[in-house]
Amino acid sequence: MKIIRCKSDLRQLTDAWTRAGEIIGVVPTMGALHAGHLSLVTTAKAQCNRVIVTLFVNPRQFTNPEDLANYPRTEDSDAVKLAPFNVDVLYIPDPSEMYPAGFATSISVSGVSAGLCGGARPGHFDGVTTVVAKLLLQTAGDAAFFGEKDFQQLQVVKRLALDLDLKTKIIGCPTIREDDGLAMSSRNLRLGEAARKLAPQVYVELSQTAAAIEQGASVPQELARASAALSAAGFGPIDYLELRSAANLAPLTHPDQPARLFVAAWLDGVRLIDNVAVG
Ligand code: AMP
């Protein structure tokens, strides 16, 4: 696995691969790799001739400077974790490589980015779409792999690729969970011991609520019950707990089409997000 930090070095490799007709897969990450990220790598390896994992903690998608400062940075152990996967390149650009002096472009996707994380973190998705567009172009990716853990992000990136005629096919991969159901996330490292024990309750509530809605319970009543249960358990604030269309993320009060239940809840100063399918 080559570690590359400079986009011109990366371009030399990807040009040669493209000329040889090889399919390039990309797995964009912010590092602090866990089994969720590695599942994307496994899928990419199975579908592509070449795989590039990118590691970039993108300052433009953080809406809180403290969150950016506290984001775990574990480059050396990330490289060790990737070693068994026979990835071709670990691309670790510097912020100055991504945003050189004079950088003035921002890409904004409307519609699917409204509400949920887009509502709770204004500007977040503009940061995501701008960096993802750059990474897909820099890596010349034919396919890029994103987790359903960040379901809204996956929909936003799909829209971006479609609207900008990018050649990259966007592929969603299932959420990988700890044994107790907690969705794996780099931010879980910041949970204290007691909070870590409580955190799986998010998935318990999501699963129970999804099942109740599937069995015909009133959506507003179930959402209110689950929100109250999370607050009573010690979560707070709860940024959102909502049922939305899986296809276009429109808010739903009846699950009359494939839907997803989304939550973002704070615990121990850490923002946990998760989502499950309904129907
Ligand atoms: P991040 O490093 O958090 O920006 O995540 C990089 C990619 O890994 C994104 O496509 C995420 O959706 C995906 N990802 C993060 N956690 C998980 C998980 N538990 N299961 C599957 N994919 C994940």
Side-chain angles (χ1 to χ4, degrees), residues 28-30 34 36-37 40 71 146-147 149-150 174-176 184:
T29 82
M30 296 204 299
H34 50 64
H37 298 112
L40 305 184
Y71 201 84
F146 290 85
K149 151 89 178 4
D150 301 284
T175 301
I176 304 299
M184 289 189 182

Side-chain angles (χ1 to χ4, degrees), residues 1-3 51 53 78-83 86-90:
M1 180 176 77
K2 279 196 170 78
I3 295 187
V51 172
V53 174
D78 288 343
V80 170
K81 282 180 193 162
L82 285 172
N86 291 321
V87 162
D88 294 277
V89 171
L90 175 57

Side-chain angles (χ1 to χ4, degrees), residues 30-35 37 70-75 77-78 81 178 182-193 195-196 199 267-272:
M30 296 204 299
L33 300 184
H34 50 64
H37 298 112
N70 290 334
Y71 201 84
R73 286 157 211 259
T74 56
E75 192 180 303
S77 64
D78 288 343
K81 282 180 193 162
E178 303 286 358
L182 176 65
M184 289 189 182
S185 165
S186 308
R187 286 191 173 84
N188 294 348
L189 294 172
R190 283 163 41 198
L191 292 168
E193 202 180 323
R196 175 62 191 82
L267 179 65
D268 198 18
V270 180
R271 187 169 179 275
L272 301 173

Side-chain angles (χ1 to χ4, degrees), residues 107-120 125-126 129 151-160 163 242 244-251 262:
I107 299 177
S108 191
V109 171
S110 59
V112 282
S113 62
L116 303 176
C117 284
F125 282 122
D126 292 356
T129 42
F151 195 88
Q152 187 180 21
Q153 170 176 280
L154 171 62
Q155 303 307 315
V156 170
V157 170
K158 279 185 175 170
R159 192 74 247 172
L160 164 84
D163 290 355
E242 287 186 43
R244 296 217 169 194
S245 155
N248 60 17
L249 300 188
F262 293 88

